[in-house]
Amino acid sequence: MKFDVLTLFPEMFSSLNESIIGKAIERDLININLINIRDFSKDKHKNVDDTPYGGGAGMVIRPDVVYDAYNSVKSDEAKVIYMSPQGKVLNQNKVIELSKEKHLILLCGHYEGIDQRVLDEIVDEEISIGDYVLTGGEIPAMVLIDSVSRYIEGVISEESTSEESFSNGNNLLEYPQYTRPEVFNGVKVPEVLISGHHENIRKWREEQALQITKKKRPELLEK
Ligand code: 4H3
């Protein structure tokens, strides 16, 4: 999977070099290419934004600069996603669908946003990570990259994605996990988990998942 990220703040993405995503990059399982929109400014001061027509607060990113940045990375199979609070809210099914794409171009706005004309011209889909406003699309783009990358073969074990919450028809939250020590602050690990009885363990986990979902996210059971 190739991710091209169009952003004014490429350095924000350095956190992706850590942990599991960092390993996936090192192992060439995913490729994250950061494009600084500012590099496509034609102006001697490297300006990329201007005041909004019609007035109002803040600055708007110019369409020509974004278009040139897009043209530097576009491909026939690329899907262009604009990270925006106006988009469809990301969920696990959408994540799985996106993981089947070859090439994603993620466009990150900042300030008051991007001139509508270039959005109309290049964007295939708008995605939001939730109903709140952030200072830019960079954190949403990182959320998308992380969640999608987990479904790229080899990034994590297949077992990890097949059993978890929200995945493929699994509308249950996950059962609780325990590890050593067997007694912590006087509390023992549930007996069944040290019984070695795999069928009983499976049934106990299934029941726990159901009870936890009922208690914490009952609306998931209505779907
Ligand atoms: C996405 C982007 C929230 C989300 C975003 C989200 C700033 C987009 C600016 C940037 C525009 C104003 N905030 N919920 N903010 O996924 O460029 O909308």
Side-chain angles (χ1 to χ4, degrees):
M1 165 75 83
K2 180 175 189 185
F3 299 96
D4 280 312
V5 185
L6 308 179
T7 172
L8 285 170
F9 299 94
E11 284 163 8
M12 287 181 73
F13 290 83
S14 58
S15 59
L16 293 173
N17 294 324
E18 301 289 330
S19 180
I20 295 169
I21 304 302
K23 274 271 147 40
I25 296 167
E26 265 177 39
R27 293 168 61 209
D28 277 334
L29 300 173
I30 59 172
N31 180 319
I32 303 172
N33 183 27
L34 303 170
I35 298 97
N36 192 339
I37 295 169
R38 196 173 299 282
D39 291 345
F40 296 84
S41 168
K42 280 170 234 91
D43 152 310
K44 66 169 178 288
H45 300 106
K46 292 275 165 203
N47 282 323
V48 293
D49 53 2
D50 210 329
T51 54
Y53 276 118
M59 298 294 270
V60 176
I61 302 172
R62 290 168 57 109
D64 50 350
V65 187
V66 171
Y67 193 58
D68 290 348
Y70 160 74
N71 278 323
S72 77
V73 295
K74 71 174 175 190
S75 75
D76 291 334
E77 71 259 36
K79 178 166 218 164
V80 181
I81 298 172
Y82 179 47
M83 308 313 302
S84 156
Q86 297 183 8
K88 277 249 193 63
V89 178
L90 189 64
N91 61 29
Q92 203 72 358
N93 286 336
K94 187 75 210 175
V95 165
I96 292 166
E97 193 184 304
L98 291 173
S99 72
K100 293 165 186 158
E101 297 284 338
K102 274 207 192 80
H103 183 192
L104 295 178
I105 299 175
L106 308 180
L107 176 57
C108 305
H110 226 91
Y111 316 117
E112 293 308 306
I114 299 175
D115 185 291
Q116 189 61 40
R117 292 166 294 179
V118 70
L119 298 178
D120 292 343
E121 182 79 22
I122 71 173
V123 172
D124 294 310
E125 197 169 339
E126 280 183 63
I127 293 181
S128 164
I129 62 162
D131 291 334
Y132 40 82
V133 179
L134 299 166
T135 54
E138 285 77 12
I139 291 171
M142 285 189 261
V143 168
L144 191 150
I145 291 169
D146 186 294
S147 59
V148 167
S149 295
R150 295 178 70 255
Y151 284 90
I152 304 301
E153 200 176 330
V155 174
I156 56 174
S157 78
E158 235 143 89
E159 206 187 351
S160 305
T161 48
S162 65
E163 300 264 290
E164 72 191 346
S165 305
F166 310 119
S167 65
N168 257 349
N170 178 12
N171 277 331
L172 293 182
L173 299 178
E174 265 164 289
Y175 51 79
Q177 300 279 12
Y178 297 88
T179 186
R180 277 181 279 274
E182 203 172 307
V183 182
F184 165 70
N185 278 3
V187 185
K188 202 159 180 288
V189 166
E191 204 60 52
V192 63
L193 298 180
I194 36 189
S195 69
H197 194 303
H198 298 298
E199 182 52 19
N200 284 353
I201 292 171
R202 193 196 58 74
K203 275 194 258 171
W204 182 85
R205 285 178 165 168
E206 191 177 78
E207 183 57 24
Q208 288 288 314
L210 187 63
Q211 291 313 320
I212 286 162
T213 310
K214 261 189 198 156
K215 191 167 166 221
K216 296 187 177 175
R217 297 288 307 278
E219 76 279 13
L220 291 176
L221 294 169
E222 283 143 35
K223 286 201 225 159

